Amino acid sequence: MQITRTRTALLVIDAIEASDAVYEPDRATAAYRAGVARVVDACHEAGVPVLFCNDAHLPGLDQELRLWGDHGIAGRTRIFPEIDRREGDRIVPKRRYSAFFGTDLDLTLRELGVTCVIAVGADTNICVLHTLADAYFLAYDSIVVEDATLTFLCGTQEGAIEHCVKCYGSQVVTVAELVGALGEHTTA
């Protein structure tokens, strides 16, 4: 795998915690959370832009809340403390599953010259999947870091990954493979 750093960005999708039914911290996800943090660190070191695409729902208004209950409420979430955020990282608040829908993510990526997105985060079968669908529809290439994504609300991790590959042409890698590619085989 070869990654062109100046044409690639990392999308960290809903790597957040809160005191609500969906995002309440779960110690069983420690390996996943460590994987997300490791990918963020590797992207920082390689000069790949990092964008946090976080739920920022409006209470009593957002359609998603009718299905899942109150979760990811704007101002009541926090990015995983394991993640080292840096100056220059961007936050993209989102009110729907896709980080592209109703946000300026596409505009930001185009202004950065990005043609390929790397996806980590959760839920693989919902927000990651819908974000990668829109990335595909907008002609971005995509990479999914399998062990830095997590399915916990519906469906299976395997089904979500298969969907990303078959329907959106996503390349699937592990954290170790991505970190290796960023450290050794990247081009400017």
Side-chain angles (χ1 to χ4, degrees):
M1 166 181 36
Q2 189 164 11
I3 296 174
T4 304
R5 290 176 294 193
T6 58
R7 309 290 288 168
T8 303
L10 174 64
L11 305 182
V12 184
I13 303 164
D14 291 331
I16 56 177
E17 55 184 34
S19 296
D20 60 44
V22 173
Y23 289 116
E24 188 171 2
D26 180 353
R27 294 186 192 280
T29 62
Y32 148 73
R33 291 167 65 131
V36 172
R38 189 168 171 216
V39 169
V40 171
D41 289 346
C43 286
H44 284 147
E45 294 307 312
V48 171
V50 176
L51 295 94
F52 292 92
C53 306
N54 298 332
D55 273 355
H57 296 298
L58 301 179
L61 185 60
D62 286 358
Q63 190 172 15
E64 214 178 288
L65 301 179
R66 291 183 212 134
L67 287 176
W68 302 105
D70 282 354
H71 71 282
I73 301 298
R76 297 187 201 160
T77 64
R78 62 198 158 277
I79 294 171
F80 293 161
E82 299 91 333
I83 294 174
D84 177 29
R85 287 187 47 215
R86 295 197 183 164
E87 190 174 330
D89 290 349
R90 292 166 176 82
I91 304 285
V92 179
K94 65 185 188 67
R95 294 179 47 207
R96 297 296 189 264
Y97 300 143
S98 173
F100 286 96
F101 187 87
T103 73
D104 71 349
L105 179 59
D106 182 47
L107 174 63
T108 301
L109 294 174
R110 292 190 191 286
E111 287 177 338
L112 291 169
V114 169
T115 59
C116 179
V117 295
I118 301 166
V120 298
D123 186 290
T124 317
N125 218 20
I126 302 174
C127 295
V128 173
L129 183 70
H130 289 280
T131 297
L132 291 179
D134 282 346
Y136 175 76
F137 301 145
L138 293 165
Y140 292 96
D141 294 325
S142 63
I143 299 168
V144 180
V145 186
E146 187 170 23
D147 51 345
T149 56
L150 180 71
T151 296
F152 63 96
L153 289 169
C154 73
T156 66
Q157 177 78 359
E158 297 77 19
I161 296 294
E162 178 183 25
H163 199 97
C164 291
V165 170
K166 288 186 176 178
C167 296
Y168 311 132
S170 300
Q171 182 176 1
V172 178
V173 300
T174 65
V175 170
E177 290 169 336
L178 183 70
V179 169
L182 287 169
E184 298 172 13
H185 302 99
T186 57
T187 59

